[in-house]
Amino acid sequence: MSSAAPAFSPAEPLTVMGAGLVGSLLSLYLARRGHPVQVFERRADPRRAGFQEGRSINLALSDRGWRALEGVGVADDIRQVGIPMTGRVMHDAHGALTRQPYGQDGQAIYSVNRGHLNRRLLDLAEARPNVRLRFGQQCLGIDLKNQRLDLLDTATQHAHSEPYTRLFGTDGAFSAVRGALQRTDRYDYSQDYLEYGYKELTIAAGPAGAWQLEKNALHIWPRGQFMMIALPNLDGSFNGTLYFPFEGAESFAALRTPAEVVAFFGRVFPDALPLMPQLATEYFHNPTSSLVTIRCYPWKHADDVLLLGDASHAIVPFYGQGMNAGFEDCRVLNELLDQHGDAAWPAIFGAFQAQRKPNADAMADLALYNFTEMRDRVADPRFLLQKKIEGKLAAQFPGRWTPLYSQVTFSHTPYAEAWAAGQRQDAIMARLMPHIRAEADFDQPAVQALVQREMADF
Ligand code: FAD
């Protein structure tokens, strides 16, 4: 190819299925490279009045997500409407609070409104002349052989078919694009549901939009077999989420009347109940949703279909990484395009899935691991002591001991590496903690000798 020729055919249109968080960001990345992009989305345009938001009102955005947003120049804009959460605040059964910082001074995860983020990304995508957004278009199926999409116009109920050259499936956990891949030979797929569901509930704003709980924190009410969490909103309210077993003595199935719900919350979340005036109504009005981990492979079909985001790796929400991982997918794909050139799709699709799959699997494991930590272990004083000791190890061995949470949340270390290091750290802590009763014990010569031995090979 001569140096004057473009590295790809600008006429080659790219198709993105799903304009959720990942699809809208991906469209922007692809459009900025000069590709014509057409985006199909099942829902109506979320920027139109009267649009009903779907699940989870706010999300925790952390370093991986920020970096991907920086790549399309939208991070500063979103930061204006994000609320930094510098730590978690645990509420015990008597309403007493314990605070645990997430990282070092200046480090925070951000509570961001899902709808705002999605709408902003769509605005930016639409502002580009080479992006065409088509809402109300549901993918019903795909003819992989003939590269055609079967679509339903949801307004007119008219079924139609459209060709594609290169298709990016960002249509979420129950992806229709993946559905087509699943029907190909030797396709690996698994879905695992937790026996827990979740329900969103509101912690109300105080007078004049004041936050009634500490604003710059993620709040957790850990109760062993279940928990509630809450993230701050800009209007002074908090978006609470109850993670609760579907069945059993304390479960969604067991709470059948408004009086039972209020009595239960009064017993297990006594400091939250007075801040939840709409509890009884919301509890019965808001859906109970399920929690699933989806793994699949390959993420590509031939050289013309690629899955990204939840379509390829849906995870449970306990590390606050699903969207962050999907945004990282977009950033990594863009880097591979830089590396290989925009015409080298076979190499890029191959490299993308080889690089991302082990990291997505590790993140899925990490998310399940953090569920136990959040609902159970953070209420245990021994666990909180262990976290303090880990902080001391990080200070004593900077660069060698980075807490697992920081590696996942405040770094760009591949998830698989972070998870492997975290498991080695857990093993060391299991050997160290029996020798430690209080924070000061860490400086005892015998404990320090043990620390030095453990760290020699780490
Ligand atoms: P989605 O957001 O699901 O978007 C898919 C899009 O495709 C949607 O717009 C949908 O309408 C469209 N679509 C679906 N099917 C079709 C079809 N057949 N045809 C056309 N269009 C279609 N992640 C974080 O990083 N931090 C958090 O704090 C966090 N909290 C969470 C809390 C909860 C309760 C849940 C459930 C998830 C949370 N996540 C969080 C995960 C995050 O929501 C997802 O990882 C993220 O939304 C994935 O983005 P996506 O674009 O891949 O999929």
Side-chain angles (χ1 to χ4, degrees):
M1 194 180 283
S2 86
S3 59
F8 61 98
S9 159
E12 185 190 337
L14 303 178
T15 303
V16 174
M17 183 60 65
L21 294 171
V22 175
S24 49
L25 180 65
L26 177 69
S27 306
L28 256 176
Y29 264 108
L30 296 173
R32 284 166 65 97
R33 304 186 70 86
H35 295 281
V37 182
Q38 99 170 306
V39 187
F40 293 101
E41 165 58 48
R42 180 177 58 186
R43 298 173 305 167
D45 188 338
R47 297 163 301 172
R48 285 204 332 233
F51 183 84
Q52 293 291 312
E53 298 291 357
R55 70 217 155 114
S56 86
I57 292 159
N58 51 23
L59 298 146
L61 184 56
S62 51
D63 284 26
R64 293 171 205 264
W66 285 119
R67 185 165 166 197
L69 292 176
E70 275 157 19
V72 293
V74 69
D76 288 343
D77 187 16
I78 300 298
R79 224 177 276 275
Q80 306 296 319
V81 291
I83 301 179
M85 300 180 288
T86 54
R88 49 190 177 197
V89 169
M90 276 75 74
H91 298 237
D92 80 9
H94 308 289
L97 307 182
T98 317
R99 196 178 205 292
Q100 196 195 346
Y102 272 133
Q104 288 159 3
D105 285 349
Q107 286 182 320
I109 57 175
Y110 286 73
S111 176
V112 173
N113 181 284
R114 179 192 287 271
H116 179 95
L117 181 54
N118 204 165
R119 288 191 296 270
R120 189 73 194 108
L121 291 170
L122 288 172
D123 278 343
L124 289 173
E126 197 166 58
R128 302 199 74 90
N130 51 340
V131 175
R132 183 169 176 220
L133 300 175
R134 297 178 64 181
F135 292 98
Q137 299 295 324
Q138 180 179 358
C139 179
L140 300 176
I142 296 165
D143 178 348
L144 292 169
K145 191 156 160 262
N146 297 304
Q147 294 180 279
R148 294 198 71 85
L149 306 169
D150 295 327
L151 295 163
L152 178 74
D153 184 314
T154 57
T156 62
Q157 292 296 301
H158 168 66
H160 58 113
S161 158
E162 300 266 349
Y164 67 85
T165 322
R166 213 75 60 183
L167 173 65
F168 297 87
T170 52
D171 49 346
F174 301 98
S175 164
V177 179
R178 189 192 63 234
L181 268 55
Q182 281 173 238
R183 284 186 281 280
T184 59
D185 189 30
R186 293 172 56 220
Y187 197 82
D188 285 337
Y189 173 77
S190 70
Q191 60 180 37
D192 296 287
Y193 282 93
L194 291 186
E195 288 175 4
Y196 286 76
Y198 71 92
K199 189 181 283 291
E200 303 210 283
L201 301 163
T202 308
I203 292 185
W211 287 271
Q212 305 207 71
L213 301 171
E214 184 186 328
K215 174 187 171 190
N216 295 110
L218 188 152
H219 294 264
I220 312 182
W221 289 259
R223 296 293 181 266
Q225 287 311 303
F226 59 92
M227 68 171 174
M228 182 165 72
I229 69 165
L231 277 73
N233 295 316
L234 285 173
D235 66 0
S237 67
F238 285 77
N239 185 36
T241 312
L242 173 67
Y243 294 98
F244 207 29
F246 280 110
E247 312 284 340
E250 292 179 322
S251 71
F252 284 117
L255 298 182
R256 283 175 304 234
T257 65
E260 282 173 359
V261 171
V262 172
F264 180 73
F265 272 64
R267 179 163 62 79
V268 298
F269 307 127
D271 59 334
L273 178 64
L275 312 179
M276 303 175 79
Q278 302 169 51
L279 172 65
T281 316
E282 281 189 340
Y283 187 90
F284 291 100
H285 177 263
N286 294 354
T288 304
S289 306
S290 53
L291 294 160
V292 69
T293 303
I294 290 177
R295 299 174 203 250
C296 63
Y297 203 72
W299 291 359
K300 74 179 186 78
H301 176 77
D303 300 327
D304 49 36
V305 182
L306 185 68
L307 303 175
L308 297 94
D310 276 17
S312 47
H313 49 74
I315 60 177
V316 294
F318 305 109
Y319 231 115
Q321 284 296 313
M323 164 191 63
N324 287 287
F327 281 3
E328 194 176 57
D329 285 349
C330 299
R331 199 255 303 160
V332 168
L333 185 71
N334 191 54
E335 283 172 7
L336 289 169
L337 282 158
D338 284 344
Q339 222 175 307
H340 295 268
D342 288 65
W345 294 111
I348 290 164
F349 282 13
F352 179 81
Q353 64 172 10
Q355 185 176 333
R356 294 302 286 161
K357 171 67 174 161
N359 290 318
D361 283 344
M363 194 52 247
D365 291 343
L366 279 159
L368 290 163
Y369 166 92
N370 220 39
F371 184 32
T372 330
E373 177 161 323
M374 284 177 86
R375 68 164 209 259
D376 195 1
R377 297 181 74 202
V378 291
D380 175 359
R382 284 291 295 168
F383 176 77
L384 295 177
L385 175 62
Q386 178 174 325
K387 288 286 153 199
K388 286 189 179 145
I389 301 298
E390 287 181 39
K392 286 176 178 289
L393 282 163
Q396 190 172 344
F397 300 97
R400 282 175 66 196
W401 184 288
T402 308
L404 176 58
Y405 187 85
S406 298
Q407 291 185 61
V408 172
T409 310
F410 302 124
S411 91
H412 303 284
T413 304
Y415 288 125
E417 279 177 36
W419 184 214
Q423 285 169 302
R424 291 201 303 277
Q425 288 174 338
D426 267 0
I428 292 178
M429 293 314 292
R431 292 190 288 271
L432 217 50
M433 286 308 287
H435 305 275
I436 296 176
R437 285 219 174 79
E439 225 176 312
D441 291 347
F442 183 73
D443 300 317
Q444 295 287 339
V447 173
Q448 273 298 312
L450 189 55
V451 166
Q452 294 299 340
R453 276 205 301 282
E454 291 285 359
M455 288 306 291
D457 303 327
F458 187 71

